[in-house]
Amino acid sequence: MIDGKGKLRAPQTLQALASDLARGGERDALVSFSGATMRHRSYRQLAADVDALACMLKAKGIMAEQPVMLCGSGGPDWIVACLAILRCGGCIVPV
């Protein structure tokens, strides 16, 4: 990967990117619509939601390289769940 200054840098893993979400601060990370209502979630809030769910998953026994089935319609909560599974080191199995 090449950074903004034209320098080559090593690619990050998805787990590293999931761990680094809060660096985006208060900028919008997710924007979703439900009818006429628009919901915003900042990078900082997304990171907090991912961390909270990852802690719960770890407490339930999810560990590195473990497959985790994820069922549901796509949307902001699905994205949080995916990132939390990655944060635990698990492998997402969408069904």
Side-chain angles (χ1 to χ4, degrees):
M1 299 179 101
I2 298 177
D3 67 13
K5 298 177 183 176
K7 293 184 179 183
L8 187 63
R9 63 183 174 94
Q12 288 186 299
T13 64
L14 285 174
Q15 287 84 359
L17 290 171
S19 298
D20 210 19
L21 285 170
R23 287 180 47 173
E26 294 304 318
R27 295 180 302 144
D28 286 344
L30 297 174
V31 178
S32 61
F33 296 89
S34 178
T37 304
M38 183 169 52
R39 259 182 71 198
H40 298 263
R41 194 177 297 191
S42 71
Y43 279 97
R44 185 160 297 148
Q45 183 60 49
L46 178 60
D49 294 345
V50 167
D51 287 345
L53 183 55
C55 286
M56 187 184 80
L57 291 172
K58 286 179 184 178
K60 298 272 185 193
I62 302 299
M63 57 184 114
E65 299 181 18
Q66 182 175 4
V68 179
M69 290 176 42
L70 183 57
C71 180
S73 60
D77 293 333
W78 196 87
I79 293 170
V80 169
C82 284
L83 293 171
I85 292 167
L86 291 173
R87 184 100 158 90
C88 293
C91 173
I92 303 161
V93 181
V95 292

